[in-house]
Amino acid sequence: MRLGVLDVGSNTVHLLVVDAHPGARPLPAHSHKVELRLAQLLDEGGAIGPDGVDRLVAVIREALQAAEDKGVEDLLPFATSAVREATNADDVLERVRDDTGVELTVLTGAEEARLTFLAARRWFGWSAGRLLVLDIGGGSLEIAYGIDEEPDAAVSLPLGAGRLTAARLPDDPPHPDDVRALRRHVRAEIARTVGEFSRLGAPDHVVATSKTFRQLARIAGAARSAEGLYVQRELKRASLEAWVPRLAAMTSAERAELPGVSEGRANQLLAGALVAEAAMDLFHVESLEICPWALREGVILRRLDHMGPV
């Protein structure tokens, strides 16, 4: 059957269309995404303003039309941290439902971490052993660890690249004092969670998902996306540590010239790099592998699991 996943994230609204059935690997058929940056549209009171809601409704309508054009039979719509944490979330969800007919399921941070972990587990298989999975989104950082398909520990922290950039790095290029303050903040937040994972033992394999990690791996020398999903891509901590001060000295326009960095994400790449560097350091990770599957694939896999065999 043809499934569609509508992901209303902190950076983008992304429709992923796949051909899938229980027991088979989901095959991507179409991708439609618009950079909305909801995490950066919150007002001082933490609400998504009227213009932001109008834009969200318009983008969802576009995605619905794309889903119809591609023959989607079942649409799985969900929202993550930007909507979840908006002070007017209920009003936003009601407006979306009234104007588009879409009932957005708002995932908790822990659900995001668990579903992303499921996707990574299915991608790497049981032979990967104990997995530590890191995911940096626009609004939050998810960390999950475990040996089965359900992680033994899963947390979500308010350390998304878009959120941190908007709140703590107002200048372009950023002021060194702001960079140092953000570095301290990120490390203090992550350090509070390390003990919960350390007691479970060292992971056998560390993997990372998300656009932020893919871009960081690419500028550090990993293969281009054009070379395919099955090319192994790694990010070494030493390479990342060398890149952080370089990124801090660049403007957003200069970062956008780096290989694999999109213009829309260039401004938040430094914040994402600081989060990635802190997580790898505090969890004693020397190298991690980039996983092509993430939250959207986890949602699809969970849906197929609930369908059962045909």
Side-chain angles (χ1 to χ4, degrees), residues 47-262:
I48 301 174
D51 289 345
V53 178
D54 288 344
R55 291 169 59 190
L56 175 59
V57 167
V59 169
I60 289 177
R61 282 176 173 155
E62 288 179 24
L64 289 176
Q65 184 61 57
E68 179 181 323
D69 292 345
K70 297 302 177 182
V72 168
E73 302 172 59
D74 191 7
L75 185 67
L76 311 174
F78 67 89
T80 57
S81 64
V83 173
R84 179 173 69 237
E85 297 170 13
T87 55
N88 62 336
D90 290 342
D91 293 336
V92 172
L93 295 172
E94 183 179 2
R95 170 78 186 281
V96 169
R97 181 176 61 249
D98 291 346
D99 287 13
T100 69
V102 171
E103 290 270 5
L104 286 174
T105 297
V106 180
L107 299 179
T108 67
E111 286 171 336
E112 283 190 60
R114 288 196 294 268
L115 288 165
T116 302
F117 184 89
L118 171 64
R121 169 58 72 195
R122 294 281 178 91
W123 181 267
F124 289 105
W126 298 113
S127 63
R130 292 171 294 185
L131 282 180
L132 175 63
V133 179
L134 306 172
D135 180 284
I136 301 171
S140 58
L141 162 70
E142 275 70 52
I143 307 170
Y145 172 101
I147 196 167
D148 297 317
E149 291 197 338
E150 182 69 20
D152 297 311
V155 299
S156 178
L157 302 175
L159 298 177
R163 176 204 295 266
L164 295 177
T165 300
R168 293 177 174 269
L169 297 177
D171 300 323
D172 188 21
H175 193 281
D177 289 345
D178 291 335
V179 175
R180 284 192 292 271
L182 177 55
R183 184 179 186 273
R184 288 194 299 270
H185 169 72
V186 165
R187 286 173 175 261
E189 288 289 318
I190 295 175
R192 294 190 185 103
T193 72
V194 170
E196 179 179 349
F197 291 87
S198 296
R199 64 180 177 80
L200 299 172
D204 298 307
H205 198 51
V206 182
V207 304
T209 69
S210 75
K211 186 77 167 180
T212 294
F213 270 114
R214 289 198 299 272
Q215 289 184 339
L216 292 171
R218 179 71 185 96
I219 66 173
R224 297 173 302 154
S225 58
E227 296 183 38
L229 291 178
Y230 300 103
V231 175
Q232 186 179 32
R233 295 172 175 87
E234 293 183 338
L235 175 62
K236 296 185 181 300
R237 192 171 92 200
S239 297
L240 179 58
E241 288 173 343
W243 266 102
V244 167
R246 296 173 64 183
L247 293 173
M250 292 179 178
T251 64
S252 294
E254 289 170 334
R255 291 184 211 128
E257 297 296 322
L258 296 171
V261 178
S262 64

